[in-house]
């Protein structure tokens, strides 16, 4: 939500259609988007603006093939952290190079981190020197990623 206080808006079929089309091609023109969604261009402009103001559409981005971009080694790192360390640790993880994303989870571990590096030597350095050196990290377990798939965000709406 844009302002943090408003209730989430209810997405209808037109909203979902627009979002799916934008996920497929974020560079699509408003005219083409209107054709694909079977609504007027004016209607598309107002819907997109409403979705942006509600914070549902947060921006438009390119999808990157990480391997072709030089980041051929990926790993998931599960972290055990000190109970009061999350906020500070989150800020430290945001600042680390090669950290693609991280998630606070419940279970045997506390945080899952996706790291993408050019090679195994860099991965080793990131995990053993950088991540293990962060305040609040008690331990970790690392899994190398051999293959992955993710639905484009929002495509399944």
């Amino acid at each position: 939500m844009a302002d943090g206080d408003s209730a989430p808006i209810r997405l209808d079929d037109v909203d979902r259609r627009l979002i799916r089309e934008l996920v497929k091609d974020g560079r699509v023109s408003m005219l083409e988007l209107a054709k694909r969604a079977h609504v007027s261009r004016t209607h598309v402009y107002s819907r997109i603006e409403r979705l942006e103001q509600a914070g549902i559409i947060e921006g438009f981005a390119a999808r990157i093939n990480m391997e072709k971009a030089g980041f051929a080694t990926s790993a998931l790192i599960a972290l055990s952290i000190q109970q009061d360390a999350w906020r500070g640790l989150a800020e430290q993880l945001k600042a680390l190079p090669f950290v693609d994303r991280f998630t606070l989870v419940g279970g045997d571990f506390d945080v899952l981190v996706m790291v993408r590096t050019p090679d195994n030597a860099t991965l080793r350095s990131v995990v053993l020197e950088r991540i293990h050196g962060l305040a609040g990290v008690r331990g970790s377990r690392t899994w190398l990623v051999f293959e992955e798939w993710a639905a484009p965000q929002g495509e399944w709406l």
Side-chain angles (χ1 to χ4, degrees):
M1 288 166 269
D3 63 9
D5 294 330
S6 58
I9 66 170
R10 197 163 182 74
L11 298 179
D12 64 15
D13 289 339
V14 173
D15 293 326
R16 286 185 175 81
R17 220 176 8 244
L18 291 172
I19 290 168
R20 279 194 302 270
E21 291 299 329
L22 285 170
V23 166
K24 288 179 193 172
D25 181 4
R27 297 176 62 181
V28 66
S29 71
M30 290 295 160
L31 179 59
E32 181 60 27
L33 189 55
K35 288 177 185 176
R36 292 180 190 179
H38 310 292
V39 295
S40 73
R41 192 170 79 176
T42 303
H43 195 70
V44 169
Y45 276 110
S46 67
R47 288 287 184 124
I48 298 301
E49 182 179 347
R50 184 177 124 262
L51 293 169
E52 286 178 312
Q53 288 177 350
I56 293 169
I57 294 177
E58 295 181 325
F60 302 87
R63 288 188 298 266
I64 308 299
N65 180 313
M66 297 306 285
E67 188 171 344
K68 289 181 180 179
F71 297 92
T73 303
S74 298
L76 283 168
I77 299 125
L79 302 177
S80 294
I81 65 172
Q82 294 172 357
Q83 189 171 6
D84 61 348
W86 169 243
R87 283 185 178 70
L89 183 62
E91 292 306 313
Q92 293 176 81
L93 287 170
K94 288 177 187 176
L96 274 184
F98 307 110
V99 170
D100 182 56
R101 66 187 58 207
F102 56 87
T103 307
L104 179 67
V105 296
D108 293 338
F109 291 94
D110 305 304
V111 180
L112 293 177
V113 183
M114 173 61 86
V115 174
R116 299 182 189 280
T117 64
D119 52 48
N120 284 345
T122 306
L123 175 63
R124 182 184 189 284
S125 173
V126 168
V127 174
L128 297 180
E129 296 169 19
R130 293 286 190 85
I131 291 178
H132 279 219
L134 296 176
V137 173
R138 293 186 348 206
S140 72
R141 178 173 285 163
T142 301
W143 293 274
L144 290 177
V145 175
F146 296 125
E147 191 172 326
E148 64 184 307
W149 177 89
Q153 189 176 18
E155 186 174 84
W156 45 266
L157 281 174

